[in-house]
Amino acid sequence: MNTPRVPRTESDVPGDWRPSARLTAIQARAELYARIRGFFSASGVLEVETPILSRSAVTDPALSSLSTQVAIAGFGSGRPLYLQTSPEFAMKRLLATGTGPIYQICKVFRDEERGRRHHPEFSLLEWYRPGWDYGRLMDDVGALVRLALDRPAMPVERVTYRDLFRDGLGLDPWHAGIAQLREAAGRAGLRGLDGLELDRDGWLDLLLTQCLEPGLGQGRLTFLCDYPPSQAALSRVRTSGEVAVAERFELYIDGVELANGFGELVDVGEQRARFQADLALRRAQGRPEPPIDEFLLDALDHGMPECAGVALGLDRLLMIATGAESIDAVLSFAIERA
């Protein structure tokens, strides 16, 4: 006699063949993507697709790329191809051809990232608005997120990086030295500081993530903007105010960082210098030095329009929309079940 199998309602066993996400989360993703596509269609932004594999990779010392190889005659034996950490470089090459505003929903990959809000393969929404500054783009991001979450009345605020540190920790991140930053970490009750050696940006990041981020975006959309120039990444640096600031913002909801946006750097000489500085830092850290994206530099040299761009993590947005506590709960199959 065969005993009938009873379907399981929970799928929380590592290595189980069942999806990591419930059907409701899978359906919610489809609805979220439909709303996003509707938003961009209504505002005349073109959906594009760019390669996942590239012969070059991001140089950012904070990121680790995954790579593979292909067996193609004449391509170069043993040459690695890198899985994109962001579609940014390829999308900027499209912008340089005159596409106008564009967006993309895609998979991206980052090694050494796994946790409650991190997964080595995740979904990203990235878009660019030629002719816009990063302030106008913040309005755009706010409108899209409120639509995506179906929270049209959700309040929005902007807080500068400098004011956040001044108000929250009583120090000026533009002028505080390493000793002062270490003392602030100690006063905040952070543990494991003995023997910890970080540069200024490392200490600032520690204080931001451990002491200040949890209070951001509580019941609202909080845009943290105007970062230190040393954290400009691929953004422009504005020097007209009291202090120079990077035209960069991050969006937070419920203490979770959702998006990273820039007033985009379009100067090819400055971009090459930043790539080379990244590689020098990676060399000093004993980390791999991936090839610089010469195609991107050629596109910038050709002339990319002034624009603002942003990348938004769709899995985290879906976590907020569904109330999920772990990224695994919104992924069809987490890496342990892939």
Side-chain angles (χ1 to χ4, degrees), residues 184-191:
R187 288 196 305 271
L190 299 187
R191 298 181 178 181

Side-chain angles (χ1 to χ4, degrees), residues 25-76:
I26 296 171
Q27 293 168 331
R29 183 182 291 272
E31 293 167 3
L32 177 68
Y33 286 13
R35 287 185 179 185
I36 289 170
R37 288 190 163 101
F39 175 88
F40 287 120
S41 177
S43 56
V45 181
L46 177 68
E47 183 171 9
V48 299
E49 184 177 275
T50 56
I52 287 176
L53 294 175
S54 173
R55 67 185 69 194
S56 57
V58 65
T59 59
D60 188 334
L63 298 178
S64 297
S65 297
L66 291 164
S67 65
T68 187
Q69 294 183 4
V70 296
I72 299 177
F75 186 77

Side-chain angles (χ1 to χ4, degrees), residues 204-224:
L204 288 172
D205 187 62
L206 180 69
L207 290 167
L208 175 63
T209 58
Q210 300 302 311
C211 303
L212 300 171
E213 273 188 2
L216 297 177
Q218 297 301 325
R220 66 189 62 241
L221 304 176
T222 298
F223 287 95
L224 181 63

Side-chain angles (χ1 to χ4, degrees), residues 145-338:
V145 170
R146 284 187 290 184
L147 174 69
L149 296 177
D150 194 21
R151 302 180 192 177
M154 195 172 189
V156 180
E157 67 175 355
R158 298 184 186 182
V159 179
T160 69
Y161 189 101
R162 195 179 191 196
D163 284 345
L164 181 68
F165 274 78
R166 283 171 158 175
D167 296 340
L169 296 173
L171 57 81
D172 186 338
W174 264 249
H175 301 298
I178 288 177
Q180 189 177 358
L181 297 173
R182 181 189 288 273
E183 289 172 5
R187 288 196 305 271
L190 299 187
R191 298 181 178 181
L193 302 181
D194 291 342
L196 183 61
E197 297 298 331
L198 300 172
D199 60 15
R200 283 193 76 257
D201 284 319
W203 283 107
L204 288 172
D205 187 62
L206 180 69
L207 290 167
L208 175 63
T209 58
Q210 300 302 311
C211 303
L212 300 171
E213 273 188 2
L216 297 177
Q218 297 301 325
R220 66 189 62 241
L221 304 176
T222 298
F223 287 95
L224 181 63
C225 57
D226 294 352
Y227 277 62
S230 57
Q231 299 179 29
L234 301 180
S235 69
R236 291 191 296 259
V237 173
R238 187 176 70 249
T239 59
S240 57
E242 179 186 352
V243 293
V245 299
E247 293 189 350
R248 174 185 174 188
F249 66 83
E250 291 191 346
L251 169 63
Y252 291 85
I253 301 179
D254 297 335
V256 178
E257 185 252 311
L258 280 180
N260 190 16
F262 302 143
E264 299 292 346
L265 179 66
V266 297
D267 182 281
V268 62
E270 175 62 20
Q271 185 61 80
R272 183 180 290 279
R274 291 191 194 179
F275 282 160
Q276 291 171 338
D278 284 348
L279 292 179
L281 181 55
R282 294 179 75 98
R283 189 178 311 120
Q285 295 172 341
R287 304 193 65 193
E289 299 175 48
I292 287 175
D293 194 328
E294 295 291 344
F295 284 147
L296 171 63
L297 295 175
D298 287 346
L300 294 180
D301 192 43
H302 170 79
M304 192 184 93
E306 297 283 343
C307 68
V310 61
L312 188 151
L314 290 172
D315 305 307
R316 290 187 179 183
L317 183 61
L318 193 58
M319 287 175 64
I320 291 169
T322 61
E325 292 295 322
S326 168
I327 194 171
D328 291 22
V330 298
L331 301 175
S332 292
F333 299 98
I335 192 168
E336 290 81 7
R337 305 183 190 206

